[in-house]
Amino acid sequence: MNLRSYLLICLLSIPLFYACEPDEVLVIDSRLKPYFDRFEEEASMRGLSLDFSDLEGKIEDLDGVGGQCVRNSTLPDEVLIDFVFWTQASELEKEFIVFHELGHCVLDRSHLDTKNADGTCVSIMHSGVSGCRFIYEDIKREEYLEELFYR
């Protein structure tokens, strides 16, 4: 075999090695996907481009915690939503919990427990233990989303 043939065989063999590597498949539960998409749309309407390429979304038993952002250094980050919360939540409550956790995982937001003068929460990113009143309904939704994406 001459050098040219040897090089050609080597070059053609390279894709075979990579084809054997399993592709990592990220999972976003189909029940969460519409909320991930809506979050991305809301961000886009405000000029933000988001990257969900290293993020999973799952609904599982979290023992009383409504949702959680789990950051991993070697694995994809995860948005976890509690199964019991999910089955009992209204449409706006589902949006709130998913947007709150995506605020942590995607926007790198921390909790913000500041109150307005009327005692309502300033942010969708409140911790839930500050004592502020959280009113996430159609009339306040836009205000909360503005704060979430523009802070």
Side-chain angles (χ1 to χ4, degrees), residues 67-117:
Q68 194 173 14
C69 166
V70 179
R71 297 199 178 261
N72 296 296
S73 59
T74 58
L75 301 170
D77 290 343
E78 294 177 309
V79 168
L80 304 176
I81 305 298
D82 181 63
F83 175 78
V84 173
F85 175 88
W86 190 260
T87 59
Q88 298 174 354
S90 69
E91 174 66 20
L92 280 174
E93 289 169 331
K94 289 176 180 179
E95 181 181 271
F96 154 70
I97 197 72
V98 173
F99 281 25
H100 176 94
E101 298 310 332
L102 287 171
H104 290 306
C105 278
V106 177
L107 300 176
D108 202 28
R109 293 282 309 267
S110 299
H111 285 138
L112 178 63
D113 287 330
T114 308
K115 298 178 190 179
N116 291 311

Side-chain angles (χ1 to χ4, degrees), residues 2-144:
N2 66 26
L3 180 61
R4 185 176 176 161
S5 297
Y6 178 76
L7 289 174
L8 183 59
I9 289 170
C10 288
L11 286 174
L12 293 174
S13 298
I14 290 173
L16 294 175
F17 291 111
Y18 288 103
C20 295
E21 294 281 326
D23 287 336
E24 184 177 332
V25 177
L26 299 180
V27 175
I28 297 176
D29 187 293
S30 62
R31 295 167 288 183
L32 297 177
K33 183 76 168 101
Y35 299 93
F36 277 56
D37 292 344
R38 193 178 311 156
F39 186 88
E40 190 171 23
E41 288 170 20
E42 292 289 345
S44 180
M45 290 187 320
R46 292 164 177 83
L48 299 174
S49 177
L50 303 178
D51 180 15
F52 289 164
S53 65
D54 197 26
L55 183 67
E56 293 190 332
K58 299 175 185 173
I59 297 175
E60 48 189 58
D61 186 11
L62 298 180
D63 292 326
V65 177
Q68 194 173 14
C69 166
V70 179
R71 297 199 178 261
N72 296 296
S73 59
T74 58
L75 301 170
D77 290 343
E78 294 177 309
V79 168
L80 304 176
I81 305 298
D82 181 63
F83 175 78
V84 173
F85 175 88
W86 190 260
T87 59
Q88 298 174 354
S90 69
E91 174 66 20
L92 280 174
E93 289 169 331
K94 289 176 180 179
E95 181 181 271
F96 154 70
I97 197 72
V98 173
F99 281 25
H100 176 94
E101 298 310 332
L102 287 171
H104 290 306
C105 278
V106 177
L107 300 176
D108 202 28
R109 293 282 309 267
S110 299
H111 285 138
L112 178 63
D113 287 330
T114 308
K115 298 178 190 179
N116 291 311
D118 64 359
T120 57
C121 303
V122 166
S123 176
I124 195 172
M125 296 306 298
H126 68 92
S127 68
V129 297
S130 66
C132 64
R133 287 189 338 249
F134 184 62
I135 305 169
Y136 193 69
E137 52 192 35
D138 290 331
I139 198 163
K140 292 281 282 177
R141 179 181 180 271
E142 188 64 25
E143 183 180 322
Y144 281 122

